[in-house]
Amino acid sequence: MNTMALLKYCIVLIAVLIIVLLALAVMTGFPLGEPESPDPSEHHIPPEYWANASPATPIPESEMITIILAESTLSAPGQDTPTGIVEIPLSRLNLSSRFMKSDEYENWYLETDLDTGKSVVLIRMPQTVYERHIAMSKNATVSLPETSFCRIYQNLSDLNAHIQRDGEGVRVLPDYGGRE
């Protein structure tokens, strides 16, 4: 083989090698240039999406459950609880033995040994959601997002100041004390 043929063969081999490397770079996602920034308009929900939306129908009081318990009933002392999560041992949620049913409000349960001067937790949600949380509990503990289902009050008087009759139902006013 003469030198000229060998040179042509090497050039073709280098070209094929470059093409293979470029193909691999494209297939593996290796960035060949500046990465593109995401287009924020792709995440915009157009007004037409909400055009036929209507407000949710409030759940009747008969389908809700409200549990009032001492803040000390929550997670066992020393247990590491993530911020914004309320954890309650299942043993402390036995409605038939640890709670009394309210005469004033439908489906309201008050912890029997509640100290009226200490902070209390109001847990309020649809009955079906409560049952699902109980059924799906892990480690014999129910974990609830604090801002969705729980409100913490200084004492029973503070809690009662935030409860208002609303026709057939009950409204818990939006003031939220939270844990300190």
Side-chain angles (χ1 to χ4, degrees), residues 38-66:
D39 183 9
S41 64
E42 289 179 25
H43 302 288
H44 173 73
I45 298 174
E48 302 82 48
Y49 180 82
W50 303 105
N52 296 322
S54 60
T57 306
I59 296 174
E61 193 64 31
S62 60
E63 294 178 26
M64 297 292 288
I65 186 168
T66 303

Side-chain angles (χ1 to χ4, degrees), residues 60-93:
E61 193 64 31
S62 60
E63 294 178 26
M64 297 292 288
I65 186 168
T66 303
I67 301 169
I68 301 168
L69 46 93
E71 185 177 17
S72 60
T73 303
L74 302 181
S75 303
Q79 186 175 346
D80 211 10
T81 305
T83 304
I85 301 295
V86 171
E87 291 187 346
I88 309 161
L90 279 177
S91 61
R92 297 181 184 169
L93 280 177

Side-chain angles (χ1 to χ4, degrees), residues 4-22:
M4 196 60 142
L6 187 57
L7 185 61
K8 285 182 184 179
Y9 180 74
C10 285
I11 291 174
V12 169
L13 190 57
I14 290 172
V16 168
L17 185 59
I18 290 173
I19 291 172
V20 168
L21 288 175
L22 285 173

